Amino acid sequence: MATTDPVDPDMTAADLALDLLDGDERAAATRRALTDRDFAAQVAWWRQTLAGLVAWWPAVEPPPGLEARVMASTTPHGPSASRAPDSIRGVAPWWRVATLALAGVAAVLALMLVLPRHAPPPPPARTATAPLIAAIVPAADPAAPAAPLPALYEPDTGMLRLSGADIAPANRSAQLWAIGADGIPHALAVLARTPEARITIASADRARLVPGAVLAISLEPPGGAPGPVPTGPVVATGPLTRL
């Protein structure tokens, strides 16, 4: 989906794009993405922008013991802690490290001025598939949830997140189904009793989760339906759409 650089970026959208939110904050942001088109566009913009930046930098394994040496260099020791020592466990003081780093940057800039200029290679084409979202709307049933349940599905990882999944009474289990164009329900998972369910969809079922497919929740005996179709009431349904 095409997005533009937002004039006033919403950092909540950035946090959601980076998967930094948990619990109530993530649930609120997910619900907002379902109802606020501008916010959803900013989430998509952050994902596209950050994916492009990450593609420029190869993964580098840090050398063994680096974290311990860095922590040692910033930890005060003894009565002279207010005065930084010249060396702590073999690590130069921060100002020497900074000086060497600046010298390295200056050398790189000098080389850029004297060497022939070449356009940097374009970042690799993005192959990530846009997520799918659904608002699973309660049915006209006394056991149905009080409000729509927002769902977010990531096709590339097979991860489906569903907020407000703890809707089953104590003697029942809530079960999630996918219903395609043929109208036949296929069981996806029995929902955990948590405010936000995180479900890794089985490989055989991922092809069923496409735009237009319907997610449905039924109330079943403990542990789920004994057969291939729902046996209890279907208390909420909602179609998947591309974010």
Side-chain angles (χ1 to χ4, degrees):
M1 154 174 139
T3 56
T4 57
D5 187 345
V7 175
D8 185 15
D10 188 330
M11 298 313 295
T12 302
D15 291 341
L16 182 60
L18 289 169
D19 201 16
L20 298 178
L21 301 178
D22 288 310
D24 292 342
E25 290 183 338
R26 181 177 185 86
T30 303
R31 286 193 294 270
R32 186 178 171 192
L34 291 172
T35 58
D36 186 338
R37 296 180 63 88
D38 291 339
F39 179 73
Q42 288 205 39
V43 174
W45 179 85
W46 278 110
R47 284 181 177 143
Q48 179 177 346
T49 301
L50 295 173
L53 292 175
V54 171
W56 283 80
W57 303 99
V60 176
E61 187 70 23
L66 176 61
E67 180 181 2
R69 290 183 314 195
V70 171
M71 295 303 295
S73 70
T74 59
T75 303
H77 297 278
S80 60
S82 60
R83 179 175 58 86
D86 283 345
S87 178
I88 299 177
R89 298 185 185 179
V91 179
W94 68 268
W95 54 267
R96 287 187 184 172
V97 175
T99 300
L100 291 174
L102 290 174
V105 171
V108 172
L109 291 176
L111 286 173
M112 292 174 63
L113 291 175
V114 299
L115 293 177
R117 295 187 180 184
H118 299 281
R126 295 181 66 218
T127 58
T129 306
L132 301 175
I133 59 175
I136 306 179
V137 179
D141 189 289
L149 309 181
L152 175 69
Y153 175 61
E154 299 172 351
D156 291 335
T157 63
M159 175 64 67
L160 186 145
R161 296 182 174 89
L162 177 65
S163 297
D166 188 12
I167 61 172
N171 61 339
R172 306 293 289 275
S173 289
Q175 188 161 0
L176 182 67
W177 306 79
I179 305 173
D182 58 4
I184 301 175
H186 299 274
L188 296 179
V190 174
L191 300 179
R193 295 182 181 276
T194 57
E196 180 183 78
R198 298 193 176 198
I199 306 161
T200 301
I201 302 299
S203 300
D205 291 323
R206 294 182 185 181
R208 307 185 194 280
L209 300 185
V210 296
V214 174
L215 295 180
I217 298 175
S218 66
L219 298 182
E220 302 294 339
V229 296
T231 60
V234 175
V235 295
T237 60
L240 284 166
T241 60
R242 188 77 70 190
L243 180 62

